[in-house]
Amino acid sequence: MEAGKIIPYIFFIKKGIVRAYASTAENDITFWFGTEGQTIISMKSYVEDKPGYENIELLENCELYQLETENLRNLFNEDIHIANWGRKFAERELVKTEELIISRQFKTALERYKDLMRDKSDLLKRVQLGYIASYLGITQVSLSRIRAEIK
């Protein structure tokens, strides 16, 4: 997926890992990693039919299932169980966004790294440290210091 484009698909990750990031003049800011069993969607494209702000990059060889968002909308209208899945998915995405904002606003870099170690330790083995640092909102040098402090 590319920022500035309307993405008319939703993807389900069968295998692999992806990252979502936004680009600034200085660097890329990673704000999400997706792994097996998770969904890739540009919410702005889906909800408002407008260009999304995120880029999605595959970090490993991936196997993805693709569904056109128009077909998904039709399924929501035809089957209450699928519509409920969509509602629950949107609710989980909202909670994840809220947690990310709160973490960035109120936790230190060390606390954010410890949360990552506790909640998503597999990312530390599969993702380049530069992307991890970007996700945590710190430089790679700061991440190295934090990792040395924890050891």
Side-chain angles (χ1 to χ4, degrees):
M1 292 184 183
E2 205 173 322
K5 293 186 177 183
I6 297 174
I7 307 300
Y9 303 103
I10 181 172
F11 297 89
F12 302 92
I13 305 171
K14 178 180 179 185
K15 178 178 173 264
I17 189 166
V18 303
R19 78 173 179 125
Y21 67 95
S23 296
T24 68
E26 297 83 36
N27 55 11
D28 294 338
I29 299 169
T30 301
F31 58 88
W32 178 76
F33 293 103
T35 57
E36 291 82 4
Q38 294 186 311
T39 306
I40 305 168
I41 188 170
S42 171
M43 290 300 256
K44 190 161 183 88
S45 286
Y46 177 76
V47 173
E48 297 183 345
D49 201 30
K50 293 182 179 174
Y53 52 84
E54 69 274 89
N55 295 290
I56 305 288
E57 175 182 36
L58 306 179
L59 300 180
E60 296 177 349
N61 288 329
C62 293
E63 289 182 41
L64 306 172
Y65 296 108
Q66 175 181 308
L67 177 64
E68 289 187 36
T69 52
E70 190 57 38
N71 290 340
L72 181 60
R73 287 185 185 108
N74 292 335
L75 289 170
F76 288 159
N77 290 327
E78 294 170 9
D79 187 312
I80 189 67
H81 299 97
I82 296 173
N84 280 332
W85 172 86
R87 178 185 50 79
K88 289 175 187 175
F89 171 76
E91 290 168 351
R92 283 189 305 270
E93 291 302 303
L94 180 59
V95 169
K96 285 192 317 192
T97 301
E98 185 178 71
E99 287 173 346
L100 179 63
I101 292 168
I102 290 169
S103 175
R104 289 277 175 100
Q105 293 292 320
F106 298 105
K107 292 187 176 184
T108 66
L110 176 61
E111 290 170 325
R112 291 193 303 272
Y113 183 73
K114 286 182 177 179
D115 287 349
L116 186 65
M117 286 175 52
R118 182 189 67 236
D119 300 333
K120 300 177 183 177
S121 61
D122 63 313
L123 290 179
L124 300 173
K125 299 172 190 148
R126 297 171 70 183
V127 175
Q128 296 175 23
L129 289 180
Y131 296 150
I132 297 289
S134 170
Y135 176 74
L136 295 171
I138 60 177
T139 66
Q140 203 164 340
V141 171
S142 295
L143 177 58
S144 295
R145 286 188 193 123
I146 289 170
R147 289 168 48 97
E149 181 180 324
I150 290 177
K151 289 183 179 180

Short mmCIF file of all heavy atoms in Angstrom, two decimals, residues 5 7 12 27 31 33 46 48 59 65 70 82 86 90 104 107 113 117 121 125 128 140 143-144:
data_model
loop_
_atom_site.label_atom_id
_atom_site.label_comp_id
_atom_site.label_asym_id
_atom_site.label_seq_id
_atom_site.Cartn_x
_atom_site.Cartn_y
_atom_site.Cartn_z
N LYS A 5 -2.93 7.13 -1.86
CA LYS A 5 -3.75 6.38 -2.80
C LYS A 5 -4.93 5.76 -2.08
O LYS A 5 -4.82 5.39 -0.92
CB LYS A 5 -2.93 5.26 -3.47
CG LYS A 5 -1.83 5.78 -4.36
CD LYS A 5 -1.16 4.65 -5.09
CE LYS A 5 -0.11 5.23 -6.04
NZ LYS A 5 0.52 4.19 -6.84
N ILE A 7 -6.98 2.68 -1.39
CA ILE A 7 -6.70 1.24 -1.44
C ILE A 7 -8.04 0.51 -1.34
O ILE A 7 -8.66 0.51 -0.27
CB ILE A 7 -5.76 0.81 -0.28
CG1 ILE A 7 -4.49 1.67 -0.26
CG2 ILE A 7 -5.46 -0.68 -0.38
CD1 ILE A 7 -3.65 1.60 -1.51
N PHE A 12 -5.50 -10.07 4.62
CA PHE A 12 -5.35 -10.88 5.82
C PHE A 12 -3.98 -11.56 5.73
O PHE A 12 -3.66 -12.16 4.70
CB PHE A 12 -6.46 -11.92 5.92
CG PHE A 12 -7.84 -11.30 5.92
CD1 PHE A 12 -8.54 -11.13 4.73
CD2 PHE A 12 -8.42 -10.89 7.10
CE1 PHE A 12 -9.80 -10.55 4.72
CE2 PHE A 12 -9.68 -10.30 7.11
CZ PHE A 12 -10.37 -10.14 5.91
N ASN A 27 12.32 11.52 8.18
CA ASN A 27 12.42 10.06 8.28
C ASN A 27 11.04 9.41 8.14
O ASN A 27 10.05 10.08 7.94
CB ASN A 27 13.06 9.67 9.63
CG ASN A 27 12.32 10.26 10.82
OD1 ASN A 27 11.23 10.79 10.68
ND2 ASN A 27 12.91 10.17 11.98
N PHE A 31 4.30 3.00 12.80
CA PHE A 31 3.28 3.05 13.85
C PHE A 31 2.52 1.75 14.02
O PHE A 31 1.67 1.63 14.90
CB PHE A 31 2.30 4.22 13.63
CG PHE A 31 1.59 4.19 12.31
CD1 PHE A 31 0.41 3.51 12.15
CD2 PHE A 31 2.12 4.88 11.23
CE1 PHE A 31 -0.25 3.50 10.93
CE2 PHE A 31 1.48 4.89 10.01
CZ PHE A 31 0.28 4.18 9.86
N PHE A 33 2.95 -2.81 13.32
CA PHE A 33 3.46 -4.04 12.73
C PHE A 33 2.32 -5.03 12.65
O PHE A 33 1.53 -5.15 13.60
CB PHE A 33 4.59 -4.65 13.57
CG PHE A 33 5.84 -3.83 13.61
CD1 PHE A 33 6.15 -3.08 14.73
CD2 PHE A 33 6.72 -3.81 12.54
CE1 PHE A 33 7.31 -2.32 14.79
CE2 PHE A 33 7.88 -3.04 12.58
CZ PHE A 33 8.17 -2.30 13.70
N TYR A 46 -11.01 2.89 3.44
CA TYR A 46 -12.21 2.09 3.62
C TYR A 46 -13.40 2.94 4.08
O TYR A 46 -14.48 2.88 3.50
CB TYR A 46 -11.97 0.96 4.62
CG TYR A 46 -13.23 0.16 4.87
CD1 TYR A 46 -13.69 -0.75 3.93
CD2 TYR A 46 -13.98 0.38 6.01
CE1 TYR A 46 -14.86 -1.43 4.13
CE2 TYR A 46 -15.16 -0.31 6.22
CZ TYR A 46 -15.60 -1.21 5.28
OH TYR A 46 -16.77 -1.88 5.47
N GLU A 48 -13.76 6.41 4.39
CA GLU A 48 -14.09 7.67 3.71
C GLU A 48 -13.89 7.62 2.20
O GLU A 48 -14.16 8.60 1.51
CB GLU A 48 -13.25 8.80 4.30
CG GLU A 48 -13.54 9.06 5.76
CD GLU A 48 -12.75 10.23 6.32
OE1 GLU A 48 -11.77 10.67 5.69
OE2 GLU A 48 -13.13 10.70 7.41
N LEU A 59 7.99 -6.97 5.36
CA LEU A 59 9.32 -7.12 5.96
C LEU A 59 9.85 -8.54 5.82
O LEU A 59 11.03 -8.78 6.12
CB LEU A 59 9.28 -6.72 7.44
CG LEU A 59 8.86 -5.28 7.72
CD1 LEU A 59 8.86 -5.01 9.22
CD2 LEU A 59 9.75 -4.29 6.99
N TYR A 65 -4.11 -12.94 1.99
CA TYR A 65 -5.39 -13.09 1.31
C TYR A 65 -5.91 -11.69 1.05
O TYR A 65 -5.81 -10.81 1.90
CB TYR A 65 -6.39 -13.84 2.19
CG TYR A 65 -6.00 -15.27 2.49
CD1 TYR A 65 -5.57 -15.63 3.75
CD2 TYR A 65 -6.06 -16.25 1.50
CE1 TYR A 65 -5.21 -16.93 4.03
CE2 TYR A 65 -5.70 -17.56 1.77
CZ TYR A 65 -5.28 -17.90 3.05
OH TYR A 65 -4.92 -19.18 3.33
N GLU A 70 -15.32 -3.44 -1.40
CA GLU A 70 -16.72 -3.41 -1.83
C GLU A 70 -17.40 -4.75 -1.57
O GLU A 70 -18.55 -4.80 -1.12
CB GLU A 70 -16.83 -3.03 -3.31
CG GLU A 70 -18.25 -2.74 -3.77
CD GLU A 70 -18.92 -1.63 -2.96
OE1 GLU A 70 -18.26 -0.65 -2.60
OE2 GLU A 70 -20.13 -1.77 -2.70
N ILE A 82 -20.90 -11.65 9.94
CA ILE A 82 -19.77 -10.94 9.32
C ILE A 82 -19.82 -9.47 9.70
O ILE A 82 -18.78 -8.85 9.97
CB ILE A 82 -19.76 -11.16 7.79
CG1 ILE A 82 -19.53 -12.64 7.50
CG2 ILE A 82 -18.69 -10.31 7.13
CD1 ILE A 82 -19.66 -13.03 6.04
N GLY A 86 -16.93 -7.30 11.67
CA GLY A 86 -16.44 -5.99 11.25
C GLY A 86 -16.52 -4.97 12.36
O GLY A 86 -15.59 -4.17 12.57
N ALA A 90 -13.30 -3.15 14.12
CA ALA A 90 -13.18 -1.69 14.24
C ALA A 90 -12.96 -1.29 15.69
O ALA A 90 -12.15 -0.39 15.98
CB ALA A 90 -14.41 -1.00 13.65
N ARG A 104 2.61 6.83 23.74
CA ARG A 104 3.52 7.87 23.26
C ARG A 104 3.48 9.13 24.13
O ARG A 104 4.46 9.82 24.28
CB ARG A 104 3.20 8.25 21.81
CG ARG A 104 3.55 7.18 20.80
CD ARG A 104 5.03 7.26 20.42
NE ARG A 104 5.42 6.18 19.54
CZ ARG A 104 5.55 6.29 18.24
NH1 ARG A 104 5.32 7.43 17.64
NH2 ARG A 104 5.93 5.27 17.51
N LYS A 107 4.24 7.46 28.51
CA LYS A 107 5.26 6.49 28.93
C LYS A 107 6.62 6.90 28.41
O LYS A 107 6.75 7.51 27.35
CB LYS A 107 4.91 5.09 28.41
CG LYS A 107 3.68 4.51 29.07
CD LYS A 107 3.45 3.08 28.66
CE LYS A 107 2.27 2.50 29.41
NZ LYS A 107 2.09 1.08 29.10
N TYR A 113 9.56 0.22 25.49
CA TYR A 113 10.35 -0.94 25.07
C TYR A 113 10.00 -2.16 25.92
O TYR A 113 9.84 -3.26 25.39
CB TYR A 113 11.85 -0.63 25.17
CG TYR A 113 12.70 -1.78 24.67
CD1 TYR A 113 12.80 -2.06 23.32
CD2 TYR A 113 13.39 -2.58 25.56
CE1 TYR A 113 13.57 -3.12 22.86
CE2 TYR A 113 14.17 -3.65 25.12
CZ TYR A 113 14.25 -3.90 23.77
OH TYR A 113 15.00 -4.96 23.31
N MET A 117 8.60 -5.75 24.71
CA MET A 117 9.20 -7.03 25.10
C MET A 117 8.14 -7.97 25.69
O MET A 117 8.13 -9.17 25.40
CB MET A 117 10.32 -6.82 26.12
CG MET A 117 11.59 -6.24 25.54
SD MET A 117 12.84 -5.87 26.81
CE MET A 117 12.97 -7.39 27.70
N SER A 121 7.15 -9.78 21.87
CA SER A 121 8.58 -10.13 21.87
C SER A 121 9.04 -10.72 20.54
O SER A 121 10.21 -10.58 20.18
CB SER A 121 8.90 -11.09 23.02
OG SER A 121 8.16 -12.29 22.88
N LYS A 125 12.74 -10.25 17.35
CA LYS A 125 13.53 -11.25 16.63
C LYS A 125 13.37 -11.14 15.13
O LYS A 125 14.21 -11.61 14.38
CB LYS A 125 13.11 -12.66 17.08
CG LYS A 125 13.33 -12.92 18.56
CD LYS A 125 12.70 -14.25 18.95
CE LYS A 125 12.72 -14.37 20.46
NZ LYS A 125 11.58 -15.12 20.97
N GLN A 128 14.00 -5.34 11.96
CA GLN A 128 15.23 -4.56 12.11
C GLN A 128 15.09 -3.55 13.25
O GLN A 128 14.03 -2.97 13.46
CB GLN A 128 15.51 -3.77 10.83
CG GLN A 128 15.79 -4.58 9.61
CD GLN A 128 15.94 -3.68 8.38
OE1 GLN A 128 16.24 -2.50 8.49
NE2 GLN A 128 15.73 -4.26 7.21
N GLN A 140 17.80 5.08 16.94
CA GLN A 140 18.42 3.77 17.09
C GLN A 140 19.49 3.80 18.18
O GLN A 140 19.68 2.83 18.91
CB GLN A 140 19.01 3.31 15.75
CG GLN A 140 19.14 1.82 15.67
CD GLN A 140 19.34 1.32 14.25
OE1 GLN A 140 19.03 2.01 13.28
NE2 GLN A 140 19.86 0.12 14.12
N LEU A 143 17.71 3.43 21.43
CA LEU A 143 17.29 2.05 21.59
C LEU A 143 18.46 1.18 22.04
O LEU A 143 18.30 0.34 22.92
CB LEU A 143 16.69 1.51 20.29
CG LEU A 143 16.27 0.05 20.31
CD1 LEU A 143 15.24 -0.22 21.41
CD2 LEU A 143 15.71 -0.36 18.95
N SER A 144 19.63 1.40 21.47
CA SER A 144 20.81 0.64 21.88
C SER A 144 21.13 0.88 23.36
O SER A 144 21.48 -0.06 24.08
CB SER A 144 22.02 1.02 21.03
OG SER A 144 21.80 0.62 19.68
#
